[in-house]
Amino acid sequence: MRLHTLCLTSVLALCAGAAQAEQNFNRVASFATSLNMAEGEDRARETSAEIIAVSGDGNTLVYTDGPLGVAGLVDITDPAAPKALGNVDVGGDPTSVGVLGQIAFVAANTSKNFIETSGHLVAIDLASRKEVARCDLGGQPDSVAIAPDGSFLAVAIENERDEDLGDGRVGQQPAGYLYLAEIKDGVVDCASGRHVDMTGLAEISPEDPEPEFVDINALGETVVTLQENNHIAVVGRGGAILSHFSAGAVDLTEIDATDEGALIFTESQPGRKREPDSVKWIDENHFATANEGDMDGGSRGWTIFNKSGEVVFESGASFEHALIALGHYPDKRSDAKGVEPESVAFARYGDQPLLFIGSERGSAVGVYDVTDLKNPVLLQVLPSGVGPEGYATIPARNLLVSANETDLGEDGAARAHVMIFQRAEGPARYPYLTSEGADERIGWAALSGLAADPEAPGRLYAVNDSFFKAQPTIYTIDATQTPARITSALRVTRGGAPALGLDMEGVTLAREGGFWIANEGDLDKNVPHALYRVDASGEIVEEVAFPTELTNHAKRFGAEGIAWVGDRLWIAIQREWGDDPKGFVKLVSYDPATKEWGAVRYPLAAPTSGWVGLSEIATRGDYVYLLERDNLIGDKAATKVVTRVPVSELNPAPLGGELPVVSREVVRDLLPDLLSNGGYVLDKVEGLTFDAEGTAWIVTDNDGVDDSSGETMLIRVTDLP
């Protein structure tokens, strides 16, 4: 119960922050790592930002880019306008970086295989970009840490196992160890380097410790996680093992442990090993771990230990619950490790000690006040880009930086990014939408269509799409609050059971009560192109299949929105079908009283690349409004617009014959709206509606947090013509 209370308290604290003018982080910029490639290089190549650090003056970021074998540099003198400074070859696969003043220490893996392991530590002068030292590490490195006083550094030499050998179990030789070396005159003294044996500590595979992550406190003590062994050690500056202990296990409740295409948080996992990844000292006696898990565990949360091994605080499932409320829960990871907390960072911003817990799979970072180590308070959850791996804290400049390693390529998908957040007085811009405060735990994501209550200003309804094939849901949203609140979830059923396999892309209120749903359909997967009327309980009471005059030419990309115009329902078809001229799509009408179908044609904008289609239709006054978008993301995006068509032109002709063409007027370019929160342009602008006061609301689809940043934007527009 206490853990659930923590979640509620944390999100309420987020909301109270705006009213009390507290300090909040907001994202101010996103930097695509592909921008650091030199002119003439193939920017379609995979890049990455995994671990990140900052120069002593706080103006230069240094991140590891494994695919390119480089350290990437970014000028953040103006944090809202980061500039590419290029890449520096490090002679191997960089795994971690630390910076002292203007010297970057980059660990690089040069192993031939899992048996013949090798690696080195490169010291790079950031001003000249020149290598000033190189130390042979004797094995495959993972994490680098620099002592707070700058006197020495530590490197975790993991010598990771071959996951294809012996079911990926530890132990496998050669064994890893801890590498310690002195720093003299700001540069590592390779001659002082020594190996600290860490075998014989853990119970699971004492012969194969696999050190994962390191950090050093003000006393010169190095904490080391042995992730695969579910073990932690604290090592003195001279290399003596001061303490070591099992990371222990957690009983998880109220989680979704099954990947079934539904968000059902009623399962439990007793005795789940923590298997911590990142670790960070909070003070001289306490550190926090992000419990990502590996072979046998992953507790979906994070823990504060003292250096004797006592648990001071355990988050349990509360961190995951916070991400669930914000639509950042990755359902496809339910049967694995859930949101996978992987990163942890700590710094004091003013007098406030803040801990940052990064979720690799939830693509978000939690900001905790750890003034009371036994009762941390979640202040914010920030959208961190796809697959965040590392964070850099810059408290002197009130900045936080994330490194997001996942690069999904150029074809309309998200590139790897560095994201910059600035802390200042004022409200938090994120989230736009939360289910916190509802009477039940409501998981949500992949919102694909919007409708509004014509009598209640700010009352909206949203549907999810086929990502949740086992749980089609209509959500009620109170948009009069900031952030907007999902207050209830209505499950769509057939015969009292979940209506499996729906792909709901549009919703509007039914005149009899309940809703009409537009189902996109995919004939190759036996998903029908159809309209469904559901009653107030969510039960399907009427199914209207598209006529053969439409389905004979149907492709996958069908109904994407539904709205009333007079007594007829109008449905926006996303892309051209077989009988459409190139660049034209249909607006299809259906009269529920007469059962008559008809259509007109709508002229799309020409794509710059990829495709352009419709994703929503809504009615206000003398016009129908449409969302028109391309399938591109980031700086490739060109068409994300609201258009309108006069109702007077919606004169449907019978299907199968010549169809009239309506006019198209662009009334809002949404690119500035999509860039307003400091991120890159999201792909799927999916829902549009007008509430009882005529305010326009626009929502984006986060693809169920699957190869997605997980972000959902709910944009309020009061000046739409």
Side-chain angles (χ1 to χ4, degrees):
M1 181 60 69
R2 183 180 64 81
L3 297 178
H4 184 55
T5 301
L6 169 70
C7 180
L8 289 173
T9 301
S10 65
V11 179
L12 290 175
L14 181 154
C15 300
Q20 299 172 10
E22 294 179 353
Q23 298 281 315
N24 281 296
F25 285 97
N26 283 304
R27 187 172 50 196
V28 294
S30 298
F31 176 86
T33 54
S34 57
L35 297 176
N36 255 338
M37 300 179 75
E39 187 174 349
E41 287 189 85
D42 180 10
R43 289 194 173 178
R45 286 182 60 191
E46 180 185 2
T47 67
S48 184
E50 185 174 5
I51 303 300
I52 193 161
V54 63
S55 60
D57 62 8
N59 290 328
T60 303
L61 299 175
V62 186
Y63 63 86
T64 58
D65 187 333
L68 297 183
V70 300
L73 308 181
V74 185
D75 179 355
I76 58 165
T77 303
D78 179 355
K83 297 178 182 178
L85 293 178
N87 295 321
V88 179
D89 193 306
V90 298
D93 177 3
T95 59
S96 187
V97 60
V99 179
L100 179 63
Q102 292 296 311
I103 304 296
F105 300 93
V106 184
N109 178 24
T110 57
S111 302
K112 292 181 180 179
N113 50 52
F114 292 99
I115 302 299
E116 300 172 275
T117 59
S118 63
H120 56 247
L121 183 75
V122 180
I124 300 169
D125 185 308
L126 295 178
S128 66
R129 317 288 177 86
K130 301 295 185 181
E131 180 179 314
V132 295
R134 178 179 293 215
C135 304
D136 181 7
L137 297 174
Q140 172 255 314
D142 196 329
S143 169
V144 174
I146 300 172
D149 64 3
S151 62
F152 77 101
L153 57 77
V155 183
I157 306 300
E158 183 177 11
N159 288 343
E160 64 184 350
R161 70 199 185 285
D162 183 350
E163 295 189 7
D164 294 327
L165 180 65
D167 294 326
R169 309 298 299 181
V170 289
Q172 295 178 21
Q173 298 300 303
Y177 48 88
L178 178 66
Y179 175 91
L180 300 176
E182 302 297 315
I183 296 175
K184 297 181 179 179
D185 298 323
V187 178
V188 61
D189 177 15
C190 298
S192 70
R194 59 195 183 278
H195 296 184
V196 178
D197 182 14
M198 306 203 75
T199 61
L201 303 181
E203 294 180 3
I204 294 175
S205 292
E207 77 283 8
D208 183 21
E210 290 203 33
E212 182 78 19
F213 212 94
V214 292
D215 193 43
I216 305 171
N217 68 9
L219 299 176
E221 298 167 337
T222 302
V223 60
V224 188
T225 58
L226 314 179
Q227 182 175 8
E228 289 75 16
N229 286 278
N230 195 40
H231 210 77
I232 299 171
V234 178
V235 181
R237 177 167 179 156
I241 305 296
L242 303 180
S243 65
H244 69 91
F245 43 86
S246 169
V250 180
D251 293 332
L252 295 176
T253 59
E254 297 183 70
I255 65 170
D256 185 348
T258 307
D259 176 14
E260 75 284 68
L263 296 168
I264 303 172
F265 302 103
T266 58
E267 295 177 278
S268 300
Q269 287 180 336
R272 191 74 168 173
K273 292 177 182 176
R274 290 187 173 96
E275 294 186 346
D277 185 336
S278 300
V279 62
K280 199 73 176 178
W281 288 100
I282 298 173
D283 56 31
E284 294 177 355
N285 298 303
H286 301 88
F287 54 81
T289 62
N291 304 326
E292 178 198 22
D294 197 304
M295 299 183 305
D296 301 307
S299 66
R300 305 186 179 212
W302 62 280
T303 309
I304 296 176
F305 293 91
N306 66 25
K307 59 188 179 187
S308 298
E310 297 171 334
V311 173
V312 176
F313 170 79
E314 168 56 50
S315 73
S318 66
F319 178 55
E320 185 163 277
H321 289 168
L323 269 61
I324 289 167
L326 303 186
H328 275 263
Y329 180 75
D331 183 58
K332 286 193 174 181
R333 301 294 300 177
S334 292
D335 58 346
K337 294 170 285 185
V339 299
E340 287 193 35
E342 182 165 10
S343 313
V344 57
F346 172 80
R348 286 186 173 273
Y349 287 74
D351 295 330
Q352 196 169 25
L354 298 181
L355 193 72
F356 304 90
I357 303 295
S359 164
E360 179 185 13
R361 299 294 180 173
S363 294
V365 56
V367 183
Y368 287 85
D369 183 329
V370 290
T371 300
D372 182 351
L373 294 178
K374 294 182 179 180
N375 296 286
V377 176
L378 178 58
L379 302 177
Q380 288 184 264
V381 175
L382 304 172
S384 188
V386 186
E389 282 278 331
Y391 293 86
T393 55
I394 316 175
R397 301 189 64 198
N398 269 332
L399 299 177
L400 171 72
V401 180
S402 71
N404 310 291
E405 71 167 347
T406 303
D407 190 332
L408 299 173
E410 280 206 318
D411 297 333
R415 305 303 305 268
H417 275 76
V418 169
M419 292 190 169
I420 304 165
F421 305 84
Q422 190 163 42
R423 189 172 188 249
E425 189 174 283
R429 291 198 298 264
Y430 198 85
Y432 295 82
L433 183 62
T434 177
S435 63
E436 192 62 69
D439 292 338
E440 59 177 318
R441 175 163 288 113
I442 299 175
W444 62 275
L447 302 184
S448 56
L450 278 183
D453 188 319
E455 305 297 330
R459 182 179 296 164
L460 312 179
Y461 303 96
V463 292
N464 58 17
D465 64 21
S466 61
F467 188 89
F468 297 105
K469 57 184 181 295
Q471 195 182 51
T473 303
I474 302 170
Y475 300 98
T476 300
I477 299 171
D478 179 359
T480 66
Q481 303 185 54
T482 302
R485 301 273 172 167
I486 294 177
T487 58
S488 63
L490 179 68
R491 309 304 183 191
V492 178
T493 57
R494 182 186 283 114
L500 303 179
L502 296 188
D503 188 6
M504 304 188 300
E505 293 287 347
V507 60
T508 193
L509 276 71
R511 300 286 169 81
E512 311 91 329
F515 301 89
W516 279 98
I517 301 296
N519 201 63
E520 181 175 5
D522 186 342
L523 300 184
D524 290 338
K525 296 180 179 179
N526 296 316
V527 179
H529 295 281
L531 305 180
Y532 297 96
R533 182 167 63 87
V534 303
D535 64 18
S537 71
E539 178 71 10
I540 294 175
V541 294
E542 184 177 357
E543 179 175 349
V544 181
F546 278 25
T548 56
E549 292 92 337
L550 287 173
T551 56
N552 283 344
H553 306 284
K555 296 184 179 181
R556 170 188 163 198
F557 300 97
E560 279 285 323
I562 185 170
W564 289 99
V565 179
D567 293 330
R568 300 182 74 93
L569 290 166
W570 281 84
I571 303 101
I573 304 300
Q574 186 177 56
R575 292 175 61 184
E576 302 102 323
W577 280 357
D579 58 338
D580 291 318
K582 183 176 177 58
F584 289 84
V585 294
K586 296 184 186 72
L587 302 179
V588 173
S589 75
Y590 172 70
D591 187 327
T594 66
K595 315 299 183 187
E596 292 178 339
W597 292 83
V600 298
R601 283 203 169 95
Y602 172 91
L604 294 168
T608 55
S609 63
W611 54 262
V612 171
L614 298 179
S615 57
E616 181 66 289
I617 184 171
T619 306
R620 186 183 67 176
D622 296 330
Y623 294 90
V624 294
Y625 293 77
L626 299 127
L627 285 180
E628 186 176 336
R629 69 171 182 90
D630 55 25
N631 65 327
L632 303 175
I633 202 167
D635 60 0
K636 300 293 183 183
T639 303
K640 315 285 186 190
V641 296
V642 180
T643 69
R644 69 180 185 182
V645 174
V647 167
S648 60
E649 295 185 17
L650 294 180
N651 300 308
L655 300 174
E658 191 69 24
L659 300 179
V661 176
V662 298
S663 62
R664 168 187 179 273
E665 178 188 3
V666 176
V667 293
R668 190 178 185 92
D669 181 0
L670 294 174
L671 291 178
D673 297 289
L674 295 169
L675 288 168
S676 63
N677 69 353
Y680 52 77
V681 175
L682 301 175
D683 171 16
K684 294 187 175 180
V685 187
E686 287 282 299
L688 166 67
T689 193
F690 295 93
D691 70 12
E693 293 181 333
T695 298
W697 295 91
I698 297 164
V699 74
T700 61
D701 175 359
N702 73 356
D703 277 333
V705 206
D706 184 37
D707 285 340
S708 162
S709 69
E711 296 178 46
T712 296
M713 297 181 73
L714 181 63
I715 302 168
R716 180 175 181 264
V717 181
T718 59
D719 58 349
L720 199 65

